[in-house]
Amino acid sequence: MADATVLQVPTPDGGSRDVRVSSPARVLWPDCGITKLELAEYAVSVGPALLGALGARPVTLQRFPTGIEGEEFYSKNPPRGVPAWARTVVVTYPSGRRHPQLVVDEVATAVWAIQMNTITFHPWPVSVSESATADVADDSLDNPDEVRIDLDPQPGRPFADVVEAAVVLRELMTELGLTAWVKTSGNRGLHVYSRIEPEREFLDVRHGVIGIARELERRLPELVTTAWWKEERGDKVFVDFNQANRDRTIASAWSPRPLPGAPVSTPLAWSEVRDIVPADFTVRSVPGRYAADGDPWHGIGAAVGDFSAAMALWDADLERGLPEKNFPPDFPKMTGEPPRVQPSRKNAANWDEQP
């Protein structure tokens, strides 16, 4: 095969762009032989759906220059050589620092990111305004318009139990006025999403997610946990509320994962969620599914809910005396947060400290 291949990638206006893919024969998944070119072609084949998940969102790129068994790193700053037709936007991190991130406004941008050795796309849960640029911070990027709830089964917990948690979560979210959409994580879990009005800052949205998580735990106490410390989770399904924090992202819908078999984080219809095998959805199988059945998340952009009822759950828990939950260890110490020490290592002196 040649040292480079040029793909013609459709553009939103009905035209196309030529995107060069170097080292097209490089094998990214050694166990199944999927190459860099095949990954780029995958992105084109599911392009409209991938753009529906990534479009107008700042994105962190999970890159593997020599394939999934080699070096791995996350690019928050855009790689060098961003094409003139691709956009970047300034985002603010928990530390307060700011810098640009790539925005995927068209499929060609995703293919260029694959050319730069991206395997997994991690978009922020915020949407970029048309006026946002790499030189001007956009205040709208402080307000999420997408809630993402990660159902993470602990070792020993079967996938069927994750499905049960997701089905009850959907019922709960419906009661709260939110439309729930489900996808495979690309690994052992499920992700449940909902679009919301971008009216609240990250911390408020995180609190609403904690309210939802705690209510799910009350409804399924033998199955679900909100315990931050792994030693307290047992074999339950953990609801990872900290994915709602600023600068915390989940693999995009339609995004491949750097795991054997080249699994894809694949949107599902709720009617099929009990019957699927997550490992069946791969870079090679998903394009045929998409061509035959379309995007199960078609319509998500119009299903925007009010997050007020979720926030009411958080407020009610505060009245019951339930405290703030731990933040990730790389975050600054937050108001009301419990001490950052494993329960098995706590003592009265440090456990009673307040920030």
Side-chain angles (χ1 to χ4, degrees):
M1 186 174 288
D3 291 335
T5 297
V6 175
L7 291 183
Q8 284 194 330
V9 183
T11 54
D13 62 4
S16 66
R17 293 194 192 280
D18 289 344
V19 182
R20 181 179 180 272
V21 179
S22 62
S23 303
R26 177 182 296 149
V27 175
L28 301 180
W29 282 270
D31 67 302
C32 53
I34 291 176
T35 65
K36 185 177 178 181
L37 178 59
E38 192 170 355
L39 179 58
E41 292 172 335
Y42 163 81
V44 175
S45 70
V46 299
L50 179 64
L51 194 61
L54 289 176
R57 298 184 183 278
V59 62
T60 298
L61 308 177
Q62 189 176 0
R63 298 167 65 192
F64 295 79
T66 60
I68 68 167
E69 295 181 354
E71 178 190 8
E72 169 190 10
F73 58 95
Y74 289 82
S75 286
K76 295 182 178 181
N77 279 299
R80 293 180 181 179
V82 176
W85 39 263
R87 185 162 56 136
T88 62
V89 65
V90 174
V91 295
T92 304
Y93 291 86
S95 65
R97 67 184 177 86
R98 293 178 169 182
H99 69 66
Q101 283 201 242
L102 188 70
V103 178
V104 179
D105 285 323
E106 55 181 274
V107 180
T109 307
V111 174
W112 175 80
I114 291 169
Q115 152 61 18
M116 302 305 291
N117 304 303
T118 298
I119 284 181
T120 306
F121 295 89
H122 296 262
W124 282 49
V126 295
S127 292
V128 178
S129 69
E130 291 185 2
S131 62
T133 70
D135 301 315
V136 180
D138 182 358
D139 290 341
S140 70
L141 299 185
D142 293 330
N143 293 359
D145 65 354
E146 191 168 72
V147 170
R148 304 162 175 181
I149 299 179
D150 180 7
L151 299 177
D152 181 14
Q154 301 307 286
R157 182 60 63 172
F159 181 70
D161 287 350
V162 187
V163 171
E164 180 61 26
V167 169
V168 176
L169 175 58
R170 181 197 187 195
E171 295 169 356
L172 169 58
M173 293 175 72
T174 300
E175 294 171 17
L176 298 173
L178 302 172
T179 303
W181 307 78
V182 65
K183 69 181 180 72
T184 65
S185 68
N187 197 355
R188 299 179 59 247
L190 288 171
H191 297 157
V192 179
Y193 279 40
S194 183
R195 295 285 171 87
I196 61 172
E197 295 287 352
E199 300 172 335
R200 295 173 172 83
E201 201 271 340
F202 274 92
L203 184 60
D204 286 338
V205 172
R206 175 185 181 272
H207 285 159
V209 169
I210 292 173
I212 293 171
R214 282 173 165 161
E215 178 60 25
L216 183 63
E217 185 178 31
R218 284 189 284 266
R219 296 187 182 191
L220 296 172
E222 301 302 317
L223 177 59
V224 166
T225 182
T226 61
W228 174 243
W229 299 103
K230 288 185 179 180
E231 65 186 41
E232 295 186 321
R233 296 177 191 169
D235 66 350
K236 295 181 180 180
V237 177
F238 171 53
V239 186
D240 190 354
F241 51 85
N242 270 330
Q243 294 290 3
N245 279 313
R246 183 187 295 272
D247 192 29
R248 282 300 183 273
T249 56
I250 294 177
S252 172
W254 306 100
S255 188
R257 303 300 304 276
L259 297 168
V264 169
S265 183
T266 306
L268 306 171
W270 283 105
S271 60
E272 66 178 334
V273 69
R274 293 188 185 276
D275 300 320
I276 62 98
V277 176
D280 289 344
F281 303 113
T282 71
V283 168
R284 285 181 173 151
S285 68
V286 165
R289 169 184 163 89
Y290 174 64
D293 302 327
D295 183 357
W297 282 17
H298 177 73
I300 187 174
V304 179
D306 185 342
F307 206 53
S308 299
M311 294 302 304
L313 289 176
W314 165 259
D315 291 337
D317 283 342
L318 288 181
E319 292 179 3
R320 294 186 185 103
L322 293 180
E324 177 64 275
K325 287 277 194 180
N326 283 98
F327 286 76
D330 60 321
F331 269 56
K333 189 69 173 177
M334 304 296 284
T335 302
E337 181 184 2
R340 293 182 182 177
V341 58
Q342 291 175 244
S344 61
R345 298 182 180 179
K346 70 181 180 181
N347 59 55
N350 65 31
W351 196 252
D352 292 335
E353 288 178 359
Q354 294 298 316

